[in-house]
Amino acid sequence: MTLDTATLLGLALKDDEIARCQAMPYRDYLKTHWWNFIHDRTIKRSNGECELCQDAAATEAHHTTYERIGCERPDDMVAMCRRCHQHVTSNGLDKLTRGDLLRKRRQIMHSPEFSRGWGRF
């Protein structure tokens, strides 16, 4: 299969944009149009509902890996409310895959650590 010049140029530009996103500090990446697209796509996929507690509006998109910054796959992301996102990142659950987080959802929601976090937000 041969690719035309326009397709090759588009792929090169995409690769350049991915490299630029990966080279910038994470906080700067979160200000890019690409991150806004990833964030919105993640929230939309969950119909605006937190995928962890399934009880609150999802307002945040959680990365399960930082390996693909700039070219995140849908499975790299989980839509969460602020409370659940804070709980996941504060209790060592941030390295779990999307599948593992969703499989362990009930266990996480009923953990003593999660219950204690109610007053913090």
Side-chain angles (χ1 to χ4, degrees), residues 2-12:
T2 357
L3 299 176
D4 61 35
T5 305
T7 302
L8 289 172
L9 180 59
L11 291 172

Side-chain angles (χ1 to χ4, degrees), residues 50-56 78-88 91 93 96 100-118:
C50 177
E51 293 182 274
L52 205 54
C53 70
Q54 298 178 330
D55 192 41
V78 181
M80 294 186 185
C81 64
R82 178 165 168 36
R83 179 172 180 256
C84 286
H85 196 195
Q86 183 68 38
H87 175 75
V88 164
N91 288 285
L93 303 171
L96 292 176
D100 286 342
L101 272 171
L102 298 181
R103 271 190 293 283
K104 295 179 178 186
R105 188 182 76 71
R106 287 181 190 260
Q107 178 184 349
I108 294 168
M109 295 295 95
H110 296 291
S111 70
E113 295 83 12
F114 190 79
S115 298
R116 278 196 297 273
W118 273 105

